[in-house]
Amino acid sequence: MGLPLAEAMIREQAERRSIDFNRRGGALTCWYDCFGFKKFGNLQRSSRLQSARGMLLVEDTDSHVTPPSRRVALWNLPLGGVRHAAFDEQSDEPAWQGRAGDNETMERRLPALPDSLLLEIFMHLEHEDVLSASLVCRQWHAVSRDEFLWRQLFYGYYRISRAVPRHPAATSWLEEFKRLYDTIPCVEVQTLKEHHDQVLHLSFSHSGHFFASCSKDCTVKVWNNDPEISLLHSSSMRRFNWGYTQFSQFNADDTLLLVSGVYIGPQQASSGEIAVISLDDFTLLSRVRNKPYDVFGCWLNETHLISGKLHWIGNMTSCSVLWLNKAFQDVESENVNVVKRLFKFQNLNASTIRTVMVADCRRHDSPDLILNYEEQRAAAEVAAALTRTSQTCSVPHVFDLGSDSEDEAASGSEGRKSTDVGNPNLGPGLEELLDDIYQGRHPPVINEHLLEAKVAEYLGKTRTRPAEPELLIPSEVQEPKKYLIFTMGSLTYSPHQIGIKRILPDQMTTSGPVLGKERSTEEFFDSLDHVIDIHGHIIGMGLSPDHRYLYVNSRAWPTGYVISDPMSPPPIAEEIDMHVLDLKTMQEERQCLRAHRAYTPNDECFFIFLDVSRDFVASGAEDKHGYIWDRHYNICLAKLQHDDVVNSVAFSPMDQELLLTASDDYTIKVWRSPRVVRIAQPRRPQPRKLLFSWLMNVKQ
């Protein structure tokens, strides 16, 4: 059998993934021929490898000898062994031929390529080809496990900057490649169609055994999270004059379920209401009014929840009162308070407090998300400067996330500390205006709205309880902390800021005075500990499992846009930015995550819920997809298809390889990782080959 016949055999069997390496001396080049062969050129000594369904042809040419020698090796690689033949162009006869199954003899006599040459060849293969080539022989398997090889494959396949180090918990580059490739919940395994209208929200119990869904069909449904998910209970809230259910949350011990919805009152006026349902027998325990309805509500601990109440002071000014409510009234303790005022905050320019959540920062056990490596030193210097400033300043910290650089953000926040966090366009203060009037000077022309804003500004300065300075200093001591986190605004009614207020231990119960801590007549409002300006319309927030990191969906405003009318917010971008805020340092941790989009204008924006697991973060979007990112590498890993807007996503807290998505297409989709799907599939028994059985019988 000569060289033409060997090449004919190879081409005859070439069907799908055939590889051809041709090295000639220079840089490596690659192209495809009609058989799908990859071709690489370089080197003074030329080597050529072709594979097709277990057939490998290696052609080795040395042009430095006269006449040039040409040697071809033909390898046939069935599962039972290796058949090898080597040919010299001059003799055109096989130099050696082994038998199938004679692996040890074959590996001793095989004209092995040097490991360095094999590694250089593997560097230009896709990861599937490397894994396939690792089955050829022990040498190829050993080279295919090279750490440098998989480091190159990892950065190339996922398009990650080489400045980003490997995940701290990773043991090898190969295992890290497999983690991102094989453990992403991107395989649809089930579609739940029990809802009859848009599904708005999903939430898991802390144990992961149950999850709840809310919908515009005005029901809240509780599901069993078994391998095959099934409906456990459904409650309709229409009998309580609800328009729809919009949010749910399990308490810490998974005995109670908080359900938030829109309440339709007299004259079709809408506000919110919170219901508490027992998970033992699914009875309704209590109902609490909640205004505005997009405060949502949340649990503070196992038995107490937080609701909101809005009071308008003027056309553009209001105050939000956050109430602590006991989930149910004990029969034997009728004289114990079941409600207590927690905080009272002033709202400017038609803004209100919305989307309340509690971060329990008793533990920060996750590693730092060090992703902006070139900016870490600058960020550390800014954090140190803010710490020094907080020791002499009692007003809330304002972190500006819309600046182009850390220095600009620092200077902007320092400038605001000495003035006010309200509208910078208010002009002269109310005191100067009154002095002009009393002294007979001609007062400036001022309209009703601007006058109301100045009065609100004056009240905010003179009637707000000062913040306690020791609460503003980021502490390295891991003392128990709980933060109340919510969206707010100061320039317009659309939520563009995040307010943070620490909850003290004596505020976590309804016992004591009904209105909470006594305050003097000069103190009307509570102050904020931190204010973070996002410079965009906030449409979603979620906490990491350890409550250290806050992820925020926002749609950015145009750069440098000046708001002249609070009732006319800026236009917003279609691209959604996901900010990552570290609640330990109160700083933005890295650049925004991007991929998802939204299309509604600013006056029709709605909340898109996101969720965070140990390694991943997921979010819905208006582009009919859910998205999954890796938290460490800052890359989008998967898009999950729906037929309409994806409103909510939820990871199982016990298994991040399980993800749920809820959509306006009335469905809930269940997604699992390729690894879990592969394990769950029963293995089909391989039929015994008749020829092999006959040969075994003959041998016996």
Side-chain angles (χ1 to χ4, degrees), residues 28-159:
L28 289 172
T29 58
C30 173
W31 68 94
Y32 288 83
D33 65 9
C34 58
F35 287 100
F37 294 156
K38 287 184 182 177
K39 296 189 177 181
F40 298 83
N42 192 331
L43 281 194
Q44 298 171 349
R45 181 183 176 92
S46 167
S47 298
R48 177 176 163 187
L49 179 148
Q50 297 184 13
S51 72
R53 297 199 55 162
M55 291 289 292
L56 293 175
L57 177 66
V58 175
E59 178 186 344
D60 205 11
T61 304
D62 192 348
S63 58
H64 287 262
V65 297
T66 305
S69 67
R70 187 179 182 200
R71 181 175 177 80
V72 175
L74 176 65
W75 299 346
N76 183 19
L77 307 173
L79 292 178
V82 176
R83 190 183 301 271
H84 164 266
F87 302 92
D88 263 302
E89 189 181 41
Q90 296 175 350
S91 63
D92 208 26
E93 292 294 329
W96 179 86
Q97 192 167 5
R99 295 174 305 186
D102 194 0
N103 292 335
E104 293 184 3
T105 304
M106 180 276 300
E107 292 199 7
R108 284 198 305 268
R109 301 186 182 181
L110 236 163
L113 296 174
D115 287 354
S116 58
L117 179 59
L118 272 179
L119 180 61
E120 192 168 356
I121 291 173
F122 286 175
M123 295 279 287
H124 295 85
L125 293 178
E126 302 294 337
H127 64 276
E128 300 100 330
D129 298 324
V130 172
L131 295 175
S132 298
S134 68
L135 303 176
V136 169
C137 62
R138 293 189 182 97
Q139 183 202 13
W140 288 29
H141 182 273
V143 174
S144 70
R145 294 302 188 265
D146 185 84
E147 275 290 279
F148 180 75
L149 168 65
W150 281 101
R151 182 179 183 271
Q152 299 296 102
L153 291 173
F154 183 88
Y155 283 120
Y157 182 79
Y158 292 108
R159 299 180 181 179

Side-chain angles (χ1 to χ4, degrees), residues 414-428:
E414 291 173 0
R416 294 192 185 198
K417 287 186 181 67
S418 62
T419 58
D420 183 63
V421 299
N423 193 330
N425 299 321
L426 292 178

